[in-house]
Amino acid sequence: KIHILSDIDQTVVGYFKNHGSALPKFPSGPIPGAMTLYRELTGTEDIDGRRVTFLSARPGVLRKWTQVQLRDTLGISEACLLTGQASDMLPWFSNNAKAVANFSDRKLKNYSKLARAFPENVFAWFGDTGEGDLDFAIRAVREERTSLVVVMIHDVLDPVTGRPKTGREARELLEAEYQICVFDTYVSAGMRCWERGLISDDGLRRVMTQTMADFIGLEWPEDPMCRLDRVAREAELFADLAEANQRLRERSLAAARHGPFNPAPRSEPQTRLGQGGDGVLGAEDEQGPAA
């Protein structure tokens, strides 16, 4: 079974304001395509605690508010949430780097507890480049090497340049050393999961279609900078859609010549990150994923 581990802010929910050490890419609301890809990976329309666990830096005192937010924004009626602690956030205003390190430590501890509690599950991690998620992912691959099958990091914007924080060379290095995929749109994330045999051709097409529909439905603020942001995000999305269409066409032609492609079964990834090959990686809460 694939169980999704997900950050919240700037991974599945956007806020059109400065957020920590990054600028947001989208207006407030759901990030286009995220929930569609989660449904394709889990094989269910109902995203709840049996299939998705949110690892958040938010302290436990905000648990109920966060669950209401996830219900109202994403339609998740029963969200499983592993939170941080208020002490993790204390250095935020005096030492941002220390606070981010605390967030990473807490998420790694919660993930480790979850992986030990449910050894029969494999996990897909979705985070962003804003506040410790990338550091957590690198450490999880280095130290755990157990149950992560794919690690996806949504790239947010550098607060100084206004451009994506992670350049091409850095992305290639993360891919080569840790099999971590840094992506701009959930179409790109869907392609990566499709390459691993985790979603089908039709599943990728559904992610493409819904990501575009979600993007069209965004309500951007009316000012010149926001219009520039929208143009930049459109360019990223159209580039990823074009690449995904090309890859699907190539797959179709190859199948016509050599027979159909048979992806690895969803529930039995062929290899895990950190265990050789080029395939797959390798909780403080009373509620956990189903066995």
Side-chain angles (χ1 to χ4, degrees), residues 32-135:
M35 288 297 99
T36 303
L37 180 55
Y38 286 14
R39 291 185 181 97
E40 292 298 329
L41 284 168
T42 59
T44 178
E45 286 295 314
D46 298 322
I47 299 296
D48 57 22
R50 294 172 297 173
R51 293 289 179 264
V52 179
T53 296
F54 291 96
L55 302 186
S56 176
R58 299 178 184 184
V61 69
L62 297 179
R63 177 189 302 277
K64 189 65 177 178
W65 178 84
T66 300
Q67 289 174 323
V68 170
Q69 179 199 33
L70 292 171
R71 181 197 66 198
D72 294 346
T73 306
L74 302 177
I76 301 174
S77 58
E78 297 182 12
C80 177
L81 180 65
L82 299 183
T83 65
Q85 295 184 356
S87 59
D88 297 339
M89 305 187 73
L90 289 179
W92 183 255
F93 296 103
S94 60
N95 188 343
N96 180 269
K98 174 59 177 173
V100 169
N102 288 345
F103 300 159
S104 174
D105 288 344
R106 185 67 57 188
K107 289 182 180 182
L108 185 63
K109 290 176 183 177
N110 284 336
Y111 161 63
S112 298
K113 292 176 183 178
L114 203 60
R116 288 195 300 269
F118 298 93
E120 70 280 10
N121 283 358
V122 292
F123 298 93
W125 167 241
F126 287 81
D128 63 80
T129 51
E131 296 174 346
D133 291 348
L134 180 56
D135 180 57

Side-chain angles (χ1 to χ4, degrees), residues 138-190:
I138 291 172
R139 292 174 62 192
V141 175
R142 280 177 173 169
E143 300 172 19
E144 293 295 325
R145 296 178 179 268
T146 52
S147 54
L148 284 170
V149 296
V150 68
V151 174
M152 311 295 299
I153 301 293
H154 180 223
D155 207 12
V156 292
L157 304 181
D158 186 283
V160 176
T161 66
R163 297 178 179 177
K165 293 183 70 173
T166 313
R168 178 178 296 180
E169 290 186 3
R171 294 186 186 200
E172 291 175 350
L173 181 63
L174 288 166
E175 176 66 40
E177 292 199 13
Y178 305 109
Q179 295 175 298
I180 292 174
C181 175
V182 179
F183 65 93
D184 293 310
T185 76
Y186 272 88
V187 172
S188 178

